[in-house]
PDB file of all heavy atoms in Angstrom:
ATOM      1  N   THR B 327       1.346   1.668  16.854  1.00 93.00           N
ATOM      2  CA  THR B 327       0.442   2.766  17.224  1.00 93.00           C
ATOM      3  C   THR B 327       0.219   2.674  18.725  1.00 93.00           C
ATOM      4  O   THR B 327      -0.179   1.621  19.238  1.00 93.00           O
ATOM      5  CB  THR B 327      -0.893   2.634  16.480  1.00 93.00           C
ATOM      6  OG1 THR B 327      -0.640   2.620  15.078  1.00 93.00           O
ATOM      7  CG2 THR B 327      -1.816   3.793  16.819  1.00 93.00           C
ATOM      8  N   SER B 328       0.474   3.783  19.380  1.00 89.00           N
ATOM      9  CA  SER B 328       0.365   3.833  20.832  1.00 89.00           C
ATOM     10  C   SER B 328      -0.970   4.457  21.212  1.00 89.00           C
ATOM     11  O   SER B 328      -1.283   5.560  20.775  1.00 89.00           O
ATOM     12  CB  SER B 328       1.528   4.681  21.363  1.00 89.00           C
ATOM     13  OG  SER B 328       1.414   4.912  22.747  1.00 89.00           O
ATOM     14  N   ASN B 329      -1.752   3.741  21.985  1.00 85.00           N
ATOM     15  CA  ASN B 329      -3.080   4.211  22.368  1.00 85.00           C
ATOM     16  C   ASN B 329      -3.129   4.461  23.867  1.00 85.00           C
ATOM     17  O   ASN B 329      -2.792   3.579  24.660  1.00 85.00           O
ATOM     18  CB  ASN B 329      -4.139   3.175  21.995  1.00 85.00           C
ATOM     19  CG  ASN B 329      -4.082   2.809  20.526  1.00 85.00           C
ATOM     20  OD1 ASN B 329      -4.281   3.644  19.657  1.00 85.00           O
ATOM     21  ND2 ASN B 329      -3.801   1.550  20.243  1.00 85.00           N
ATOM     22  N   GLU B 330      -3.550   5.646  24.253  1.00 84.00           N
ATOM     23  CA  GLU B 330      -3.626   5.997  25.667  1.00 84.00           C
ATOM     24  C   GLU B 330      -4.599   5.087  26.389  1.00 84.00           C
ATOM     25  O   GLU B 330      -5.738   4.911  25.967  1.00 84.00           O
ATOM     26  CB  GLU B 330      -4.047   7.468  25.808  1.00 84.00           C
ATOM     27  CG  GLU B 330      -3.948   8.006  27.215  1.00 84.00           C
ATOM     28  CD  GLU B 330      -5.226   7.854  28.007  1.00 84.00           C
ATOM     29  OE1 GLU B 330      -6.298   7.759  27.385  1.00 84.00           O
ATOM     30  OE2 GLU B 330      -5.164   7.851  29.247  1.00 84.00           O
ATOM     31  N   GLY B 331      -4.117   4.470  27.440  1.00 83.00           N
ATOM     32  CA  GLY B 331      -4.972   3.628  28.266  1.00 83.00           C
ATOM     33  C   GLY B 331      -5.212   2.230  27.751  1.00 83.00           C
ATOM     34  O   GLY B 331      -5.968   1.470  28.349  1.00 83.00           O
ATOM     35  N   SER B 332      -4.603   1.886  26.658  1.00 84.00           N
ATOM     36  CA  SER B 332      -4.770   0.523  26.146  1.00 84.00           C
ATOM     37  C   SER B 332      -3.471   0.036  25.504  1.00 84.00           C
ATOM     38  O   SER B 332      -2.504   0.777  25.407  1.00 84.00           O
ATOM     39  CB  SER B 332      -5.916   0.462  25.138  1.00 84.00           C
ATOM     40  OG  SER B 332      -5.620   1.250  24.006  1.00 84.00           O
ATOM     41  N   LYS B 333      -3.504  -1.191  25.068  1.00 88.00           N
ATOM     42  CA  LYS B 333      -2.288  -1.783  24.495  1.00 88.00           C
ATOM     43  C   LYS B 333      -1.966  -1.175  23.137  1.00 88.00           C
ATOM     44  O   LYS B 333      -2.867  -0.799  22.383  1.00 88.00           O
ATOM     45  CB  LYS B 333      -2.472  -3.293  24.350  1.00 88.00           C
ATOM     46  CG  LYS B 333      -2.494  -4.042  25.664  1.00 88.00           C
ATOM     47  CD  LYS B 333      -2.591  -5.550  25.420  1.00 88.00           C
ATOM     48  CE  LYS B 333      -2.591  -6.312  26.732  1.00 88.00           C
ATOM     49  NZ  LYS B 333      -2.693  -7.773  26.525  1.00 88.00           N
ATOM     50  N   ALA B 334      -0.687  -1.162  22.850  1.00 92.00           N
ATOM     51  CA  ALA B 334      -0.259  -0.658  21.548  1.00 92.00           C
ATOM     52  C   ALA B 334      -0.585  -1.659  20.448  1.00 92.00           C
ATOM     53  O   ALA B 334      -0.708  -2.861  20.705  1.00 92.00           O
ATOM     54  CB  ALA B 334       1.241  -0.393  21.583  1.00 92.00           C
ATOM     55  N   THR B 335      -0.719  -1.154  19.265  1.00 93.00           N
ATOM     56  CA  THR B 335      -0.959  -1.995  18.089  1.00 93.00           C
ATOM     57  C   THR B 335       0.310  -2.032  17.264  1.00 93.00           C
ATOM     58  O   THR B 335       0.788  -0.985  16.831  1.00 93.00           O
ATOM     59  CB  THR B 335      -2.106  -1.414  17.232  1.00 93.00           C
ATOM     60  OG1 THR B 335      -3.245  -1.193  18.045  1.00 93.00           O
ATOM     61  CG2 THR B 335      -2.450  -2.366  16.108  1.00 93.00           C
ATOM     62  N   TYR B 336       0.845  -3.211  17.047  1.00 96.00           N
ATOM     63  CA  TYR B 336       2.118  -3.348  16.351  1.00 96.00           C
ATOM     64  C   TYR B 336       1.920  -3.728  14.889  1.00 96.00           C
ATOM     65  O   TYR B 336       1.000  -4.471  14.550  1.00 96.00           O
ATOM     66  CB  TYR B 336       2.988  -4.411  17.043  1.00 96.00           C
ATOM     67  CG  TYR B 336       3.490  -3.974  18.398  1.00 96.00           C
ATOM     68  CD1 TYR B 336       2.682  -4.093  19.529  1.00 96.00           C
ATOM     69  CD2 TYR B 336       4.773  -3.438  18.548  1.00 96.00           C
ATOM     70  CE1 TYR B 336       3.133  -3.678  20.780  1.00 96.00           C
ATOM     71  CE2 TYR B 336       5.229  -3.026  19.794  1.00 96.00           C
ATOM     72  CZ  TYR B 336       4.408  -3.150  20.894  1.00 96.00           C
ATOM     73  OH  TYR B 336       4.852  -2.735  22.121  1.00 96.00           O
ATOM     74  N   GLU B 337       2.819  -3.244  14.056  1.00 95.00           N
ATOM     75  CA  GLU B 337       2.800  -3.612  12.645  1.00 95.00           C
ATOM     76  C   GLU B 337       3.356  -5.030  12.488  1.00 95.00           C
ATOM     77  O   GLU B 337       4.116  -5.513  13.332  1.00 95.00           O
ATOM     78  CB  GLU B 337       3.634  -2.622  11.827  1.00 95.00           C
ATOM     79  CG  GLU B 337       3.064  -1.226  11.818  1.00 95.00           C
ATOM     80  CD  GLU B 337       1.699  -1.140  11.174  1.00 95.00           C
ATOM     81  OE1 GLU B 337       1.604  -1.454   9.955  1.00 95.00           O
ATOM     82  OE2 GLU B 337       0.736  -0.774  11.862  1.00 95.00           O
ATOM     83  N   GLN B 338       2.975  -5.616  11.397  1.00 94.00           N
ATOM     84  CA  GLN B 338       3.449  -6.967  11.110  1.00 94.00           C
ATOM     85  C   GLN B 338       4.966  -6.984  11.047  1.00 94.00           C
ATOM     86  O   GLN B 338       5.581  -6.133  10.408  1.00 94.00           O
ATOM     87  CB  GLN B 338       2.875  -7.432   9.767  1.00 94.00           C
ATOM     88  CG  GLN B 338       2.958  -8.917   9.537  1.00 94.00           C
ATOM     89  CD  GLN B 338       2.155  -9.328   8.317  1.00 94.00           C
ATOM     90  OE1 GLN B 338       1.725  -8.510   7.514  1.00 94.00           O
ATOM     91  NE2 GLN B 338       1.939 -10.619   8.177  1.00 94.00           N
ATOM     92  N   GLY B 339       5.552  -7.955  11.734  1.00 94.00           N
ATOM     93  CA  GLY B 339       7.001  -8.094  11.718  1.00 94.00           C
ATOM     94  C   GLY B 339       7.718  -7.353  12.838  1.00 94.00           C
ATOM     95  O   GLY B 339       8.930  -7.508  12.996  1.00 94.00           O
TER      96      GLY B 339
END
Side-chain angles (χ1 to χ4, degrees):
Chain B
T327 303
S328 173
N329 305 298
E330 189 269 336
S332 64
K333 290 184 179 180
T335 308
Y336 290 82
E337 295 297 298
Q338 196 170 13

